[in-house]
Amino acid sequence: MTEHEKHMAAALQAAERGVRGVNPLVGAVLVDDSGAAVAVGHHRGAGHRHAERDALARAAAERPDVDLSTTTLYCTLEPCRHHGRQPPCVEAILAAGVPRVVHGAADPTADAGGGASELAAAGVDVVSGVLAEPCRRLNHRWNLAQQQGRPFVTVHLAQSLDGRIAAADGTSQWITSAASRSHTHRIRERIDAILVGSRTVAVDDPRLTARDESGELLAEQPLRVVMGRRPVPEEARLRRGRPEGEGWLQVPTHDPLEALRRLDSAPHSGRGVRHVLVEGGSRVLSAFFAADLVDEIFAYHAPVLLGEGPSSVGPIGVSSLSEAPRFVPDPAEGGPVTLMGDDVCVHLAPEPSASSMTANRSS
Amino acid sequence: MTEHEKHMAAALQAAERGVRGVNPLVGAVLVDDSGAAVAVGHHRGAGHRHAERDALARAAAERPDVDLSTTTLYCTLEPCRHHGRQPPCVEAILAAGVPRVVHGAADPTADAGGGASELAAAGVDVVSGVLAEPCRRLNHRWNLAQQQGRPFVTVHLAQSLDGRIAAADGTSQWITSAASRSHTHRIRERIDAILVGSRTVAVDDPRLTARDESGELLAEQPLRVVMGRRPVPEEARLRRGRPEGEGWLQVPTHDPLEALRRLDSAPHSGRGVRHVLVEGGSRVLSAFFAADLVDEIFAYHAPVLLGEGPSSVGPIGVSSLSEAPRFVPDPAEGGPVTLMGDDVCVHLAPEPSASSMTANRSS
């Protein structure tokens, strides 16, 4: 492993502390001329500063003794040059006087790419493509979602040890632990929209709000989205008499990609919906899995056995094991496996396929 | 937490490093008169020395400077006084000259109990019942198996993310990772017998041997047991033409307790079968779960989605969630959750019920 690769590996580790969704995971490490790390930064999710700025801010706050003009900034992704909700990182790097930038993956988004050239034009020594493959793989599904012009999709599966979401008589409250449910509500708070099927609305009448342990509403609430053609009753708890557009909407389709593309332009938090949590039911989940539109899974396995009752996921068009979609443990957000009360929560991402990696490379 | 409880908690932690099965989990800590731990011991499973002897042997080997006549031995279970495959611990304690013994749970086995009185009669200062409840709970299922006069039962569930053991067309090799399968073979090596249904023999024709990664037979092989009434074909791989009694046998019953009791007296390794691994199929597993005869579960969740195909466990007589059997993470053997390749292996034990704890208490 070269010196560059060693520092990039540390930046990758930092990136994995972030949460997936609206933005890609990015990590950054500022290294002095002796090769020692001065500051480590990462992106914490939408609305938070970018990894490069995070590392620079930490260096300024914690290591004012370090002369930044002697440092190298390692970042897993090419620094951005666009004005989004955060100012461009290129500006911050130039303002700080960092003379050398080493980055991993190229920025695949059309409106943000070119940061490396801009830095080089301003006289910064730029090295590209260090550990490019793992840096790209870290966000392969985020890149795919961008290319497909759709929000990032998180799915949660809350099921018994034998993969069921309710007992034979339909009872399901509660299969999972209080800790698992609390985790789900924290995810609901930070996504843009939560999506369920119109059948689930008719059968379960869920509220789809983000709540704390005592049932109080959290500060941020997702847009509530009903997919499918059954009308949403006036008195359904997710709308409580409110007209469509006021905190909820319906996408009258059974095609998940169409539903996602409509959401991409639905107004939320001053931007389109960029991160959706799909909660069910099993038919909706099957449709998303069958279309390869699931970017991230949180699977809660509760240590309870039912033996009968509906499965978490219905048919997805797989008849033989070789056709089955495979996932890999996702190291982001504190690691792939967490004990939540007595439940085990497994965090998974789709296995990077040859096609998705090629698609990323060509962008 | 008192001084006694502090040391007993350390002994409990040591106990959890053992493996479940033929013997109960036991831990021991030898403490000097300043309250410092001199040696920690635990029982590693059938054929290994008991926890008390383990702690004493470590003290002799690693801390020859310590005068044992100034120490206290903490053990989670009352020291045994019977001659089994291991010599009685009471003798070892007296021979070492340890003047004080503090133990947690009383020994519930008829032929081994009474160690505490024997120590006291020999002049040892004995304190009983420190952290008695957690010490008893550690082995509540082992105690239950003893009371029921049957082997300890381990179950393994190897399933997809959605709880299935094969795809719609029956393909199932391999759902789980090589690391998970290797773990199963190490369990097969240390149990006394492996049990499957006669239908599984007819359909899957399994070998039921313990093998290493390259397919070579491991040193110890379990007795292969077929439960049910379908005849086992002469050419079945688990017998390969050998008559019953030569490495395999059939218990022609559908009653799991009856099958277990017959096994308890079946000859294996110079004693009866005391630890059984039940591998399937789903009907056999259902029968064991329905009869509350599963003492330990290893559930391998492979990150692959099938959507269709048979479930790992069939109906167990649960129609509503409130009736469903609940399990708890088992801290023994390195913790309740292990990443094995891309699979997550969850180690579970039945939730201690009020009745099982009462039963233990009265014994």
Side-chain angles (χ1 to χ4, degrees):
Chain A
M1 190 177 268
T2 67
E3 192 71 8
H4 276 349
E5 287 171 349
K6 190 186 86 180
H7 296 306
M8 191 60 76
L12 266 168
Q13 265 198 321
E16 288 171 354
R17 291 187 209 127
V19 296
R20 296 191 181 278
V22 172
N23 293 331
L25 296 181
V26 188
V29 180
L30 197 65
V31 175
D32 70 17
D33 52 9
S34 78
V38 172
V40 178
H42 73 279
H43 178 55
R44 286 165 178 73
H48 295 271
R49 62 190 176 202
H50 288 177
E52 299 90 326
R53 282 183 182 271
D54 192 42
L56 291 171
R58 278 163 197 275
E62 296 159 20
R63 295 294 304 280
D65 56 306
V66 174
D67 175 5
L68 294 186
S69 76
T70 67
T71 61
T72 301
L73 183 65
Y74 289 84
C75 29
T76 56
L77 185 64
E78 182 181 357
C80 71
R81 65 169 192 187
H82 73 306
H83 287 266
R85 281 181 303 171
Q86 297 292 319
C89 292
V90 164
E91 279 180 14
I93 293 166
L94 294 177
V98 173
R100 189 157 70 150
V101 170
V102 180
H103 70 88
D107 188 334
T109 61
D111 61 342
S117 337
E118 199 164 311
L119 287 169
V124 173
D125 181 11
V126 176
V127 179
S128 301
V130 172
L131 295 186
E133 171 76 14
C135 285
R136 228 169 359 227
R137 196 164 52 227
L138 180 67
N139 292 304
H140 78 104
R141 291 298 297 203
W142 187 86
N143 292 338
L144 185 66
Q146 292 288 112
Q147 286 157 23
Q148 294 181 332
R150 60 160 180 91
F152 188 86
V153 175
T154 298
V155 154
H156 96 147
L157 304 174
Q159 55 186 31
S160 69
L161 189 56
D162 51 337
R164 302 180 193 283
I165 54 168
D169 69 354
T171 47
S172 64
Q173 288 184 355
W174 298 107
I175 287 178
T176 54
S177 70
S180 292
R181 300 197 305 274
S182 175
H183 182 253
T184 294
H185 280 276
R186 297 292 165 183
I187 295 174
R188 285 182 174 184
E189 190 189 22
R190 68 178 162 79
I191 42 102
D192 297 329
I194 183 168
L195 183 149
V196 298
S198 55
R199 189 170 171 276
T200 293
V201 174
V203 174
D204 296 341
D205 192 17
R207 279 175 285 180
L208 302 185
T209 49
R211 304 183 295 277
D212 69 13
E213 288 73 6
S214 61
E216 295 296 311
L217 292 179
L218 294 170
E220 301 287 331
Q221 293 296 323
L223 177 68
R224 297 180 283 287
V225 179
V226 181
M227 174 170 152
R229 300 213 171 89
R230 288 194 196 209
V232 177
E234 192 77 25
E235 69 284 2
R237 299 206 288 176
L238 70 84
R239 64 180 289 194
R240 293 200 185 284
R242 279 170 304 196
E244 196 170 349
E246 290 190 10
W248 75 280
L249 58 83
Q250 182 162 17
V251 282
T253 174
H254 294 302
D255 176 350
L257 184 56
E258 188 188 331
L260 288 178
R261 286 194 165 138
R262 287 210 205 170
L263 281 185
D264 199 45
S265 55
H268 179 75
S269 308
R271 61 168 197 273
V273 168
R274 307 258 300 273
H275 188 190
V276 179
L277 175 66
V278 178
E279 289 219 356
S282 68
R283 288 182 202 187
V284 167
L285 289 173
S286 299
F288 275 83
F289 279 115
D292 186 23
L293 285 170
V294 175
D295 302 312
E296 177 183 42
I297 303 174
F298 288 101
Y300 308 89
H301 298 282
V304 57
L305 209 56
L306 293 167
E308 291 165 270
S311 292
S312 59
V313 180
I316 54 170
V318 166
S319 59
S320 198
L321 182 54
S322 58
E323 308 160 8
R326 290 202 169 255
F327 300 84
V328 291
D330 190 336
E333 295 181 47
V337 185
T338 314
L339 208 52
M340 293 186 185
D342 285 350
D343 300 351
V344 173
C345 178
V346 187
H347 187 198
L348 298 167
E351 195 167 53
S353 65
S355 64
S356 76
M357 289 306 293
T358 307
N360 292 350
R361 257 184 223 113
S362 67
S363 71
Chain B
M1 189 176 269
T2 67
E3 192 70 7
H4 277 349
E5 288 171 347
K6 190 186 86 179
H7 296 306
M8 192 60 78
L12 266 168
Q13 266 197 320
E16 288 172 353
R17 290 186 211 129
V19 296
R20 297 191 180 280
V22 172
N23 293 331
L25 295 182
V26 189
V29 179
L30 196 67
V31 174
D32 70 17
D33 52 9
S34 78
V38 172
V40 179
H42 73 278
H43 178 55
R44 284 164 179 73
H48 295 270
R49 62 191 176 202
H50 288 176
E52 299 90 326
R53 280 183 183 270
D54 192 41
L56 291 171
R58 278 161 199 277
E62 295 158 21
R63 296 292 305 277
D65 57 304
V66 174
D67 175 5
L68 294 186
S69 77
T70 67
T71 61
T72 302
L73 182 67
Y74 289 83
C75 29
T76 56
L77 185 64
E78 182 179 357
C80 71
R81 66 169 190 186
H82 71 307
H83 287 266
R85 280 179 304 168
Q86 296 293 320
C89 292
V90 163
E91 280 181 13
I93 293 165
L94 294 175
V98 174
R100 189 157 69 150
V101 170
V102 180
H103 72 88
D107 189 334
T109 62
D111 62 342
S117 336
E118 200 166 310
L119 286 169
V124 173
D125 181 11
V126 176
V127 179
S128 301
V130 171
L131 295 187
E133 171 75 14
C135 286
R136 227 169 1 226
R137 197 163 50 226
L138 179 67
N139 292 303
H140 78 103
R141 290 298 299 203
W142 187 87
N143 292 338
L144 184 67
Q146 292 288 114
Q147 288 157 24
Q148 294 181 334
R150 59 158 179 94
F152 188 87
V153 176
T154 299
V155 154
H156 97 146
L157 305 174
Q159 56 186 31
S160 68
L161 188 56
D162 52 337
R164 303 181 192 282
I165 53 167
D169 68 354
T171 48
S172 63
Q173 288 184 354
W174 297 107
I175 288 178
T176 53
S177 69
S180 292
R181 300 196 306 273
S182 174
H183 183 252
T184 294
H185 280 276
R186 296 291 164 184
I187 295 174
R188 284 182 174 183
E189 189 189 23
R190 69 177 161 78
I191 42 104
D192 297 330
I194 183 167
L195 183 148
V196 298
S198 55
R199 189 170 170 275
T200 293
V201 173
V203 174
D204 295 340
D205 192 17
R207 280 175 284 181
L208 302 184
T209 50
R211 303 183 296 276
D212 68 13
E213 288 73 6
S214 60
E216 295 296 310
L217 292 179
L218 294 171
E220 300 288 330
Q221 292 297 324
L223 178 67
R224 297 179 286 285
V225 178
V226 182
M227 174 171 154
R229 300 212 172 90
R230 288 195 197 208
V232 177
E234 192 77 24
E235 69 285 3
R237 300 206 288 176
L238 69 84
R239 64 181 286 196
R240 293 201 184 281
R242 279 169 302 197
E244 195 169 350
E246 290 190 10
W248 75 279
L249 59 81
Q250 181 163 17
V251 282
T253 174
H254 294 301
D255 176 349
L257 185 56
E258 191 188 328
L260 289 177
R261 285 194 167 138
R262 287 209 206 169
L263 282 186
D264 200 43
S265 56
H268 180 75
S269 309
R271 60 170 197 271
V273 168
R274 308 257 300 275
H275 187 191
V276 179
L277 175 66
V278 178
E279 289 219 358
S282 68
R283 288 182 201 185
V284 167
L285 289 173
S286 298
F288 275 83
F289 279 115
D292 186 22
L293 286 171
V294 175
D295 302 312
E296 176 183 44
I297 303 174
F298 288 100
Y300 307 88
H301 298 282
V304 57
L305 210 56
L306 292 168
E308 291 164 90
S311 292
S312 60
V313 180
I316 54 170
V318 165
S319 58
S320 197
L321 182 55
S322 59
E323 306 160 9
R326 290 203 170 255
F327 300 84
V328 292
D330 189 335
E333 295 183 46
V337 185
T338 314
L339 208 51
M340 294 185 184
D342 285 350
D343 300 351
V344 173
C345 178
V346 187
H347 187 199
L348 298 166
E351 194 165 53
S353 65
S355 64
S356 76
M357 290 305 294
T358 308
N360 293 351
R361 256 184 222 112
S362 68
S363 70

